[in-house]
Amino acid sequence: MKEVILCKYGEIVLKGLNKSYFESAMVATVKRRVADLGASEISFGQSVLTLTPLDDAFDFEEALRRLKKVFGLVSVIRAAACDKTPEAILATAQTYLPPFLAGVSTFKVTGKRADKHFPMTSPELSAEIGGALLDVMPCLRVDLEHPERLIHVEVRENAAYLHADDSKGAGGIPGGTAGRALLLLSGGIDSPVAGYMIAKRGAIIDALHFESFPYTSERAKEKVLSLAGIVAEYTGRMNVHVISLTHIQEELKRRVNEEYFTLLLRRSMMRLAVRCAEKYYCDAIVTGESLGQVASQTMQALTVTDAVADRPVFRPCIGMDKEEIITVARKIGTFDTSILPYEDCCTVFTPKHPKTRPTMEKVLAEEAKLDLPALEDEAFAAIEEHIIKAY
Ligand code: ATP
Ligand code: MG
């Protein structure tokens, strides 16, 4: 008997001719994620990827933790692998499964026989394993309707697998199969969630953060880099580009009608994002905006911002309530960092009464009051790069 990790594919099972493309992307990601954890062997087939440690030094628990963050896998399960004989399976059930049944009073065994040469049918095998477990744990009862613990036995091509640990994977589709997108990453709650959601759909994520030093602090930037690190546990790594808006903000404050300050700032942010996306080959831009959350997130304000974008702007949080976004932030582990109280460039010089229903005409008239292209050139030339690796 050997303990292995079974990783089950999600949506890519439904892919037709392209399936092998998605599968190789996922296998490559899995290999990279566990490469520094010791020697292991990874095999795949029948929509399951099996990781077998090759020595005792392999960090099994850390591998489980990391693989639960690989997009494309719906479950990541610790399982016992044994020979495909009824004797080996029953013996393994009696030695491996009892700890998983501690503290429960009812269970059910479900058998799956992918290898039709195996001498027992799935129901026969399930019944035998149930009996073997009752022999060693007589206090237990079988409950076919509402078992407290479900035991699985799978007889596959190379071996039989037993498990009772139904652990959910990250879902989604494998990283790198949907192109590269640029996430506008603030230190808030919404944008890390937005980045996670688009990464889950297979995109590689680069991030762009705007700072406004000295109005925003070095610690505010460090907070953003830590957020990138948490999202990178799902994506592997993240390039974070940082652009300073200080000069642009000071000039906007000095020259434009206060009501339009935020809108003009957001248009400058979007133009700089487009330039950054162009430079780093990102085919879409991602933001954490949610309809109606603040003045710059009305339909009219978003229209004015999107008018300067030459590629799709994905806003996966657009229809989510704050509570729903927070639920995801807690799940992925960004929430506690997001709520650390550091300032963001968007809160520097915020007007009291921002325009919520701007017209393009008025926006353009305000923009004509200063040389934004020159200010943006200056900001873009000073772009700063960070490479964030999770592992
Ligand atoms: P979050 O939306 O991440 O909680 P927030 O609420 O402070 O942060 P908003 O003012 O709602 O940010 O900004 C909307 C979106 O604009 C953010 O989700 C993010 O995509 C982008 N954004 C805001 N500030 C910055 C920044 N300093 N750098 C990069 N992008 C930013
Ligand atoms: Mg927000």
Side-chain angles (χ1 to χ4, degrees):
M1 192 274 283
K2 208 166 189 168
E3 198 166 40
V4 301
I5 302 178
L6 295 181
C7 303
K8 310 231 169 160
Y9 300 179
E11 228 176 285
I12 66 169
V13 172
L14 307 173
K15 303 277 177 201
L17 293 175
N18 285 336
K19 187 175 161 190
S20 62
Y21 164 69
F22 287 90
E23 185 165 62
S24 0
M26 205 171 58
V27 173
T29 304
V30 168
K31 283 188 174 158
R32 259 198 315 274
R33 291 289 164 92
V34 299
D36 63 331
L37 298 181
S40 66
E41 182 185 76
I42 289 163
S43 58
F44 56 97
Q46 297 175 313
S47 299
V48 179
L49 187 148
T50 309
L51 181 145
T52 310
L54 293 181
D55 59 41
D56 290 344
F58 184 78
D59 191 342
F60 195 86
E61 299 303 324
E62 177 64 9
L64 267 178
R65 196 184 77 77
R66 291 188 189 179
L67 295 182
K68 282 179 191 166
K69 294 186 174 177
V70 171
F71 292 128
L73 299 174
V74 278
S75 41
V76 176
I77 305 163
R78 60 190 320 145
C82 64
D83 287 344
K84 291 194 302 184
T85 61
E87 300 72 34
I89 294 174
L90 295 180
T92 304
Q94 287 183 324
T95 51
Y96 180 74
L97 293 174
F100 294 93
L101 290 159
V104 305
S105 46
T106 61
F107 73 100
K108 172 185 172 178
V109 182
T110 61
K112 200 160 121 197
R113 193 177 52 131
D115 174 3
K116 299 297 173 206
H117 300 297
F118 187 74
M120 292 162 114
T121 64
S122 300
E124 282 166 1
L125 180 60
S126 305
E128 285 291 324
I129 292 176
L133 282 173
L134 291 173
D135 286 345
V136 289
M137 299 187 83
C139 304
L140 289 178
R141 242 176 353 97
V142 172
D143 182 341
L144 299 180
E145 295 294 313
H146 305 289
E148 278 176 63
R149 182 77 74 242
L150 204 51
I151 305 281
H152 300 266
V153 53
E154 304 176 28
V155 182
R156 295 186 170 273
E157 215 166 295
N158 298 322
Y161 300 94
L162 292 117
H163 54 94
D165 164 42
D166 216 359
S167 245
K168 260 185 142 41
I173 54 177
T177 57
R180 184 181 282 272
L182 182 68
L183 167 68
L184 299 195
L185 182 62
S186 70
I189 297 168
D190 309 334
S191 48
V193 168
Y196 158 83
M197 288 170 80
I198 297 301
K200 187 173 176 185
R201 297 309 302 164
I204 295 172
I205 300 289
D206 265 32
L208 171 58
H209 175 64
F210 294 106
E211 63 173 357
S212 191
F213 193 76
Y215 306 106
T216 61
S217 63
E218 197 58 31
R219 290 177 73 186
K221 182 161 75 185
E222 278 160 20
K223 169 186 168 181
V224 171
L225 296 178
S226 337
L227 285 171
I230 299 170
V231 179
E233 292 195 12
Y234 292 86
T235 58
R237 60 175 266 164
M238 196 184 290
N239 298 332
V240 183
H241 317 286
V242 180
I243 292 180
S244 169
L245 291 179
T246 311
H247 203 182
I248 294 177
Q249 283 182 287
E250 287 172 342
E251 284 300 298
L252 285 172
K253 167 107 177 108
R254 193 169 302 141
R255 296 178 195 279
V256 308
N257 177 340
E258 189 190 307
E259 287 186 334
Y260 282 83
F261 173 87
T262 307
L263 280 167
L264 266 54
L265 178 64
R266 295 205 66 87
R267 275 166 61 91
S268 275
M269 287 164 76
M270 189 58 85
R271 275 190 295 260
L272 288 164
V274 166
R275 288 174 73 165
C276 188
E278 184 71 30
K279 179 169 176 185
Y280 296 99
Y281 308 101
C282 300
D283 290 326
I285 289 166
V286 182
T287 80
E289 285 153 321
S290 161
L291 191 62
Q293 190 185 79
V294 289
S296 60
Q297 295 171 29
T298 63
M299 289 187 205
Q300 294 82 355
L302 294 176
T303 304
V304 160
T305 315
D306 279 4
V308 297
D310 68 349
R311 58 203 73 206
V313 180
F314 295 147
R315 297 183 169 95
C317 301
I318 198 74
M320 292 167 79
D321 292 349
K322 197 75 187 183
E323 275 310 308
E324 292 168 327
I325 299 173
I326 288 174
T327 302
V328 182
R330 284 190 198 281
K331 187 182 91 176
I332 63 174
T334 51
F335 182 74
D336 290 341
T337 304
S338 286
I339 57 172
L340 294 174
Y342 300 120
E343 59 300 308
D344 182 62
C345 73
C346 284
T347 53
V348 175
F349 309 138
T350 332
K352 277 205 191 66
H353 302 290
K355 204 78 187 152
T356 52
R357 290 168 181 268
T359 62
M360 193 59 84
E361 214 180 350
K362 187 74 176 121
V363 165
L364 295 176
E366 289 297 321
E367 271 183 354
K369 291 180 179 173
L370 71 173
D371 189 358
L372 277 172
L375 289 163
E376 286 165 13
D377 281 349
E378 178 199 63
F380 194 68
I383 196 164
E384 193 185 287
E385 309 293 343
H386 299 262
I387 296 174
I388 306 294
K389 285 187 182 154
Y391 306 114

